[in-house]
């Protein structure tokens, strides 16, 4: 049987805090993040892929929507037309794979590249072209 995941909205910039609160409540969550290479070393090394949203699993035992509205850092469950929004398990599995690919590609970008450096594109629709690295 496929389990459903539900979409939960967090307060601004409180996604990581909310994820820890959900762990404390023994609720499985998924918070997709993208690895970034900030110019300022004190900045965050990851950014949310869906800012302000997390996915939570198996909330049937806590079927009271008010429970999720009271979790610190949460705004509540996302609902569409009065129904709590859900996504199938395979959607989350595919998203995890895509996030691994995205973050794997980001890890391949050398930190030594600077704005204005000449690069050659090796794959994709622009393969063979030379370009100037911007960011």
């Amino acid at each position: 049987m496929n389990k459903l995941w539900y979409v939960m909205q967090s307060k601004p910039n409180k996604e990581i805090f909310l994820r820890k609160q959900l762990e404390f409540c023994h609720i499985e969550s998924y918070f997709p993040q993208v690895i970034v290479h900030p110019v300022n070393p004190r900045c965050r090394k990851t950014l949310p892929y869906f800012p302000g949203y997390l996915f939570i699993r198996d909330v049937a035992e806590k079927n009271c929507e008010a429970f999720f509205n009271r979790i610190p850092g949460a705004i509540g469950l996302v609902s569409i037309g009065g129904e709590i929004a859900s996504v199938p398990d395979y959607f989350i599995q595919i998203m995890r794979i895509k996030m691994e690919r995205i973050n794997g590609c980001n890890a391949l970008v050398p930190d030594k590249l600077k704005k204005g450096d000449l690069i050659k594109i090796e794959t994709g629709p622009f393969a063979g072209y030379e370009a100037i690295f911007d960011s």
Side-chain angles (χ1 to χ4, degrees):
M1 179 171 100
N2 274 342
K3 302 285 184 172
L4 291 177
W5 289 78
Y6 299 90
V7 184
M8 179 169 237
Q9 188 173 9
S10 74
K11 292 181 180 175
N13 299 314
K14 294 292 182 185
E15 300 94 349
I16 294 172
F17 175 77
L18 177 56
R19 188 180 67 191
K20 290 178 183 178
Q21 293 296 316
L22 292 167
E23 283 177 17
F24 183 73
C25 295
H26 305 288
I27 297 172
E28 184 180 356
S29 66
Y30 177 56
F31 175 51
Q33 298 179 74
V34 178
I35 297 171
V36 294
H37 302 283
V39 175
N40 184 342
R42 290 175 281 170
C43 289
R44 293 171 51 179
K45 307 287 188 261
T46 60
L47 292 175
Y49 196 68
F50 300 109
Y53 296 94
L54 295 95
F55 298 92
I56 59 174
R57 185 176 190 175
D58 296 335
V59 296
E61 66 275 0
K62 294 178 174 65
N63 58 6
C64 179
E65 196 172 340
F67 170 80
F68 293 102
N69 295 340
R70 288 192 303 264
I71 295 176
I75 291 176
L77 295 174
V78 174
S79 60
I80 301 171
E83 297 260 340
I84 297 174
S86 64
V87 293
D89 190 49
Y90 71 85
F91 176 82
I92 300 296
Q93 291 173 4
I94 291 169
M95 188 184 317
R96 287 181 196 262
I97 292 168
K98 295 220 181 242
M99 293 308 301
E100 285 177 16
R101 285 185 188 157
I102 289 169
N103 287 329
C105 288
N106 283 345
L108 297 176
V109 175
D111 292 332
K112 297 175 184 171
L113 284 177
K114 295 183 183 105
K115 188 173 185 170
D117 286 350
L118 187 65
I119 58 172
K120 184 174 182 179
I121 301 170
E122 296 180 354
T123 60
F126 298 107
Y129 284 95
E130 289 186 351
I132 298 174
F133 185 74
D134 184 42
S135 62

